[in-house]
């Protein structure tokens, strides 16, 4: 007789599968049903979890799965100690089963410590869990008579399981909604962190994926930075068993830079650093973000489509060789972290118009994540409006859940009465957030420059209608025309020259959403 009885094999294979699958794909639910059978409790699928509930509240099957794993591992472990020559396939299944049990038994304790709370409290929690984990690891996997085929190392296994836990909580925290477009976004974000093959990741890719940049594409206001933060806060961090700790700063090693908000010289200084006297105003040496970013850290380059040509060349060198130089220096320095970039531009069109380097694009496009529009989310799941509004009101009024919930109900009622379910939300989540704030302060929301106009009007036709109807105040008129000029001329300098103002004025008056509307019109003149 083998290590597993025939009735135990489907349960063991299901639990092993859960340990290595993407938790935001439907296969997770199918595996749970396979394991629990009639004991399975219907619950919102993990991909439809809502931020208004805790993971434990939405996951009633977890303790049932853990109990099955406990009983099965103990039974197989007892057989293994007396087995003569177990088959390698069964030994590998036993290893997978043990790793699932170690995760289910020890990781939930860290929920309150990994994403929030004082660093010292987190360190104490990690130390406590590690010592219990190491004891169980030795008991189940360091056997006196049998050498298991995978030869897992306790510290590395612990680091990967901690990473899995952090990644799940980060995606749960940052990517909100119950629609299928959001479910696909969660699953795609998980793959950006771990790839589609978790076993390969645990063996070798945890060292290699740092070299693969991630490119997040989507319209303005769709949460591209939130995806970047979920990825950045879920990196592999090695565990040091000699100190019973992780490097504390590695968990927060995320640096975001909006490339459209800075002049090229400032971008270069922020990224690469500079030497004293390298340019006017460089009164001291500066360490850039690429240099301070550790091997488990992430640099997020937002609006990379706005990066000017010279900086594109320098960034390409970093992606190719991981080498860069401070401004004013010739010493080579090494970038050890990961790059995540984002843009709302159509980079294929930008390449055709010679505004974005094709070789840089091909360095960035190995891993692409697309963020859906708010309109797509609500078309698939209208109930997401209430979920998202509740999430936003909790951020605005974090101290009082009752007041936050009351404001959320008021906002949803106002939107349903005054905007209806056909409103397209051209500003996406960013516009919804401003709508919430407007209703909180003034009791109503007037979409900027859009009231009374057909929703199909875009670009210059919309601007003409707004001017003709007298719907723009002075600031709105300047903002619209500045954005149009920037969309036509393609850079701060060219737009400033056309408008006869300083480039900083162009930057201050620019509206990214309006620029996107104008550019889409130019790219699709018949749309």
């Amino acid at each position: 007789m083998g290590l597993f009885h025939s009735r135990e094999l489907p349960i063991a294979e299901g639990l092993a599968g859960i340990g290595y699958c993407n938790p935001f794909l439907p296969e997770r639910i199918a595996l749970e049903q396979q394991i629990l059978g009639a004991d399975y409790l219907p619950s919102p699928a993990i991909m439809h979890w809502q931020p208004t509930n805790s993971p434990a509240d939405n996951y009633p099957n977890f303790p049932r799965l853990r109990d099955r794993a406990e009983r099965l591992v103990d039974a197989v472990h007892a057989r293994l100690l007396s087995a003569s020559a177990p088959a390698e396939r069964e030994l590998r299944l036993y290893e997978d089963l043990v790793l699932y049990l170690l995760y289910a038994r020890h990781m939930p304790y860290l929920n309150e410590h990994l994403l929030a709370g004082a660093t010292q409290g987190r360190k104490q929690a990690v130390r406590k869990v590690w010592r219990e984990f190491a004891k169980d690891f030795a008991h189940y996997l360091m056997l006196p008579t049998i050498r298991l085929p995978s030869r897992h190392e306790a510290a590395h296994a612990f680091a990967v399981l901690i990473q899995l836990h952090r990644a799940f909580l980060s995606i749960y925290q940052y990517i909100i909604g119950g629609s299928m477009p959001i479910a696909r976004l969660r699953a795609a974000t998980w793959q950006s962190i771990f790839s589609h093959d978790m076993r390969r990741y645990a063996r070798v890719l945890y060292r290699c994926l740092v070299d693969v940049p991630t490119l997040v594409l989507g319209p303005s206001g769709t949460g591209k930075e939130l995806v970047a933060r979920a990825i950045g806060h879920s990196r592999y961090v090695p565990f040091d068993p000699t100190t019973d700790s992780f490097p504390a700063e590695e968990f927060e090693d995320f640096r975001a830079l909006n490339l459209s908000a800075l002049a090229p010289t400032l971008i270069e200084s922020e990224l690469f650093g500079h030497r004293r006297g390298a340019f006017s105003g460089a009164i001291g040496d500066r360490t850039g973000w690429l240099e301070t970013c550790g091997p488990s850290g992430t640099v997020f380059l937002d609006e990379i489509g706005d990066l000017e040509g010279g900086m594109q060349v320098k960034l390409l060198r970093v992606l190719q060789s991981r080498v860069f130089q401070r401004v004013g220096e010739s010493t080579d320095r090494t970038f050890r972290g990961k790059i995540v970039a984002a843009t709302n531009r159509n980079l294929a069109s930008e390449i055709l118009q010679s505004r974005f380097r094709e070789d840089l694009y091909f360095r960035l496009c190995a891993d692409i994540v697309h963020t859906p529009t708010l309109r797509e989310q609500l078309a698939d799941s209208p109930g997401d409006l209430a979920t998202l509004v509740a999430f936003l009101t909790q951020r605005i009024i974090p101290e009082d859940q009752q007041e936050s919930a009351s404001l959320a109900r008021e906002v949803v009622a106002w939107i349903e009465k005054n905007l209806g379910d056909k409103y397209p939300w051209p500003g996406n989540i960013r516009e919804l957030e401003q709508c919430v704030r407007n209703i909180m302060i003034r009791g109503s929301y007037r979409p900027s420059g859009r009231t009374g106009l057909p929703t199909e009007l875009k670009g210059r036709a919309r601007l003409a209608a707004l001017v003709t109807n007298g719907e723009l105040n002075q600031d709105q008129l300047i903002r619209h025309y500045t954005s149009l000029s920037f969309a036509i001329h393609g850079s701060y300098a060219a737009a400033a020259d056309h408008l006869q103002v300083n480039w900083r004025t162009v930057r201050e008056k620019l509206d990214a959403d309006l620029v996107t509307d104008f550019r889409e019109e130019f790219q699709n003149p018949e749309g």
Side-chain angles (χ1 to χ4, degrees), residues 235-307:
R235 300 286 315 288
Y236 176 86
V237 181
F239 182 76
D240 184 356
T242 63
T243 62
D244 290 354
S245 67
F246 292 98
E249 68 279 0
E250 294 287 354
F251 286 116
E252 283 81 34
D253 196 3
F254 178 87
R255 296 162 170 79
L257 182 63
N258 189 320
L259 302 178
S260 68
L262 298 173
T265 53
L266 292 178
I267 293 172
E268 189 172 15
S269 177
E270 288 288 326
L271 279 179
F272 303 127
H274 63 250
R275 185 178 180 179
R276 179 182 178 183
F279 52 85
S280 177
I283 59 176
D285 291 348
R286 175 186 174 85
T287 303
W289 286 3
L290 295 180
E291 188 173 346
T292 59
C293 182
S296 299
T298 302
V299 172
F300 174 50
L301 304 178
D302 198 8
E303 304 300 350
I304 197 169
D306 291 348
L307 197 62

Side-chain angles (χ1 to χ4, degrees), residues 314-327:
K314 294 180 179 181
L315 180 59
L316 177 62
R317 184 190 181 208
V318 174
L319 295 177
Q320 288 176 330
S321 65
R322 299 204 145 255
V323 171
F324 66 95
Q325 297 171 346
R326 288 183 180 180
V327 179

